[in-house]
Amino acid sequence: NLVSYFRGLVQPIELPPVAISGVGVTFGKWTPNLAVTVVAVYPPSDEGGQASASVLVRDWRICDEVAALKLTAEVEKWARSQVEDTIATRISSRDATGINSHGNLSALGDFALPFEQSLGSWANATSFMNDMLEFGDAALKTLPKEGRPLVLICSDCKNVHCSWALGSFGETTRADVPISVLDLSGLDGEGPASTLPMNLSGNSSTSMRDLCHSTGGYLMDSATLEAAGVTKIGSNIDESSPLYSLQDHHYLGVAKKRSLRPNLLQWLTLFSLSPFSLASGQTPSIHHQQNSTNRFDSLSSMFSSIGGGGHQAEGSLSDPIYTQKSGDELFVDSNRWDNSIFVGRYVLEPVRIKSLLMTRILEGYRAKKYGAATHDNDKVSIIFTRRLAELGLTLHYEIYFVSSPFHSPFVGTASVQLLLSGDRELILLTKNMFKAEKTLHASAQASSAERVSKFLRWTKKQDLLDSFLCTPGWAQNVELDSDFVVKVQSMTHLQRYRHFRTEHIEVVTVTGNPFETSNSLFSDVMEGNTAVDELFECLAKWSSHCATPESRHTYIKIIESSEHDLIYYCLLRCNPCPKASRLYEITVEFHGEIDPELRLAVRSSLVASLHACDHLIVLEKEISNLIQTRSTCPRSESRGTCVDATSMSPFLQHRFWRLPKDDDVLPLLTKRRIDIGKFFILSTSQDKMIFAKFAQDDGSECSETVIYQVLSTESDLFVDLYMEYSRGLFHQLRAGSSPFYLKYQNVKRRDKNCGTNLIARRNLLKLIDGVSMLPVTEAGLCEDTLRIVKCSSSSTSTLLKFFDRTSHLANEMLSRYLVDFIVSDHFTTPSAKLPTCYSLAGKKGIWLVMRVDWYVLSIAVLEDDDDSEGIQDDEQPNRRLSFFTAGIIDLYKSDGDFAEADSTTCDEENFGVCTLVDIIQHAHARKYSLSCFHALQKDVLPMSSVDVDFVEDPLTFHEVLNVLVELDDISSHLNDNTSTITGTKLGSVIERLLGVVPGSNASMFFYKGHKVGEGLATSEGSDVSQAPIFFKFMLDSRLASMEDILALQKTVTVTALVSNFGVSDDLSPCHLEAVERLERSLNAFASERILDKLRFKGRTLAKCDFELIQQNIQATHNLTMEVPCEFFVARANALIAANNPSGSESDINYCFVVLLQMLKSSELTIVAREDAFLLLVDNEVGVLPYWCFAELDQSNGTIRLIVHHPLGREYAQEILTKAEHLVKGIVKISNQQLLLIAAYKSKS
């Protein structure tokens, strides 16, 4: 049947010959161009459920037989596969009794029913015509608006619940859309029974035929369809033809001769135009000034174009079918029209006749007769009829219109008469109910009469409303609190559709870039919609009045009109879309016969004003009806959510996927959709985002709407992707190369990678923050790191100098110190070491993660292998430090987006990584010096060479001590590089504390007094405490090497300089200790040189010499001993310890006087000062081989011995022992002297 249908429609139509000046008579053919959308509608599967549908193709163009055959072949293949699969699935969800099992889908063998098996409740399955028409209306929205709309239903006409015409069209906005049905049941009158697999009862063809006829459509079976496709209009039809009954049909006009001769199928389908059209006459502008003679010519020209059913209507403006009468006599006698019965009459004043006629056309009326009651051009009469086949009635709507002499010719007074023809009993009952405005009986006939009377009363009410809408007053008299404004606002959606011509505009409010207006990266996504004020301000400025100042949703625009005309106006209503908070629906409703050009000009003016707003996006087409919502539904199969289907759902390609729950997923997807995908936000909330864009495929002139939605639930995220079916593609959801499928696969893959990448980022942030990561394994952490590396949009590397390959310890220390610095608090960027990662992305080394800022992560790797690029053999090697930086927006990438880092330092800032590189480079120089110092201290694997310049680069040397080394000038007797005894000794003193840095030409020394961990901590502290301890020396203000020191040949001032970071001269305790030890050693060395010089004076030492000796001997390496003294006290007649006199203090003082006299008189002593003596334990003569002093400490009762021997401690210890015996002997002699004095005194 479909093959015959489309073949018949696309047959070329011969055009009548046209005479062209200079060319002659031309002939031609016109081939209809069809746009077809194919939908399968399934009845509700459960009681109280909703019908569903599936789409084969949208906007398939048929302009020849090849395209028609292609479509029919695809329909057949689709019906036998997908449609039958869907039916089988629906059957399998029920058991043999028809009770829903709610189980899993069974295999085909499980639900395949025997032919004789009862189908249970499926035998009474009912389809609803309203469902079919609803999906048909939705399908028409997918087709070009410039085409003639038609809904074709292919059905077996079994068990189809078909409501009566007034129920289907009188109370809906569906109008002027012919409904046609192809009967596939195989029934033709008394023909054979249906051959369909399910032999369902209940023939609905009669009610469906009535419904088709009431809309200007038709119902055809196979035979009629075949005949209609080959029969030309105006042909003689044989009595045996299925078309014979149609030849005298007034509305079809099959037998009437015409110059344009399409076939009957084309005539019924393509030429069933609305009877009200301005195509044959041009209506002058309403602002045109007309004189008294032609003032009503435009009224006549308008009605000259009114026809019915696509043919010239009978009658004309001059037909004398009316006579000028008054009152009831204004109307034609009711008996003239098929014995019609008068029901009611009312007068409309004022009324715009064009608006009234358009309202009747939209309600399904067609012009039966039109003419004039007189020869006056200002009076017109029209008769409309509407057939109610299911009730056997015909409605007659008669208008007598008189133009007002004070207004436009299209404004005046209309007398309306309502009549009914058909079943007389039903008509009389309807008339009584219409007058009484209530139900008088409770029978079935009374119910039908009630429905008709209700419709007639509704018609009268709407006519009076139309008259009221003509009188808002003059432009200066429209008041916001008037009854007109209040009543207009209270109009229903259906009333607005009947009385206004409506233009729809949709706008989206935006707030600029939502990620650059707040301290938090994503906070503004959830901020309030501040652009709404700009929208309402624009509407208020464009309109004349705001009808609702509080809500600012309704406005009135006064349109310029002539001074003698009623005002033209439009109502503007702006309301937020209930499904999308940032989408606003603007409807502009025009009343009256405003010229289409003027109406479009007003619309364009409004659109231009909206375009001028900075924070508004005017959409190129409506998308509010395409928004599908996903809501929480605990019982759904989608684990907690379900999609609320609408009539447009089948015409949208839909796929969804889940993403892991993360706080940053929704903001990141939002930013990605806006900045990269060029979507605009339709709705924002804490748990739901809706985006949309218009995508245009390559080679396509039309764009398709793409809607992207994200819903956040307690456990995960649901992402829904919707897109209009692409035009002219079959089975798009199953086509792997369809535009939607490619978009779906790409977006899904990237979204899922984005979710996984965000989890990886979250894990790495936990590592930085020190949060427990028990669920994350070592392998998982490495995988997370690799994901961030692959997502990095910025790759930066720098080269860091290391030691030679043999200096393993130094290189290990340098790597460890650098890593410790990066993960320490001294590195301003929070960082952490990845302990389990070594080899990733083809790189081996130490891996670190850094949080550059709130939304940027950088993965750094300090490679283990030396980079020999550009390095000479005698140069220190380098190691590469690479950074792979990814902002949070970069986490939305595919696995193939990884790029290798370049080998040079970045020339521009990449997320601030260049600043980090500078900080690390600065720290590396210090760590290089520190690791060199510590490695030299370790002295396990001695370093063969060091880049001294690089070691010194972060250091400054501060002068810390000066020591004068006295030496007789012997430079004239020796070469400059000849070592001397003094120089060698000084070198030995220095080498006891310091070591020479390799490669420094023996001019820089490291302090080796403490090993690593013994006083010089290796953990990160302040820069001062971590500075390495290097020394340099100057001889008489000239930088000196060890060779210069060894060749010391004269008295010089030795200056020591110690290293420190920066210019500060504040030294750490370790530095101070090292300086102190060095100072003591050098001072001792200088003092020894002085003592050695004085030894040559022997016993000839003067008092000043002793003072000099006493000053220097303390600085030398000497031995000391405290010798306690015991004295004989006569009163105690016993030896008393000098440190515990116990009341004999005066006697002890006297004993010390005696001891001093004995020391002074001894030949082995030389008085150095009053209480100090130089001891010559071996009674030396000439050069003194050593220094030995005895100092009396009367307060402690001891003699302190100090010995310095130039040959060392062993010799000094020997002299100290001898000195002890000598001093004790002198004390003993002193006690003998005290005993003799006591005996003498006692004798005397």
Side-chain angles (χ1 to χ4, degrees), residues 1-10 34 36 62 68 71-72:
N1 288 343
L2 280 179
V3 175
S4 302
Y5 180 79
F6 288 118
R7 276 180 175 175
L9 287 183
V10 297
L34 308 180
V36 181
I62 301 178
L71 176 62
T72 54

Side-chain angles (χ1 to χ4, degrees), residues 125-167:
T126 302
S127 298
F128 294 89
M129 179 60 74
N130 284 340
D131 293 335
M132 301 180 191
L133 297 181
E134 183 179 359
F135 285 111
D137 293 341
L140 290 176
K141 295 179 182 179
T142 67
L143 298 174
K145 294 182 179 180
E146 59 269 18
R148 177 73 174 96
L150 167 69
V151 176
L152 174 68
I153 299 175
C154 300
S155 172
D156 61 354
C157 301
K158 300 292 185 181
N159 280 15
V160 179
H161 182 272
C162 183
S163 61
W164 69 312
L166 295 184

Side-chain angles (χ1 to χ4, degrees), residues 802-807 810 874-877 928 932 936 942-948 951 997-1000:
F802 270 69
F803 303 98
D804 59 79
R805 293 175 176 82
T806 61
S807 304
D874 57 345
E875 294 183 356
Q876 297 291 327
Y928 187 90
C932 175
L936 290 171
M943 302 175 63
S944 59
S945 178
V946 174
D947 188 343
V948 177
V951 172
V997 177
S1000 65

Side-chain angles (χ1 to χ4, degrees), residues 46 105 235 239 323 342 430 545 559 814 923 982 1039 1177 1228:
D46 294 314
L105 294 181
S235 303
E239 294 183 2
T323 57
F342 170 80
T430 301
H545 302 280
I559 303 173
L814 179 54
T982 303
L1039 192 65
V1177 295
K1228 183 177 180 181

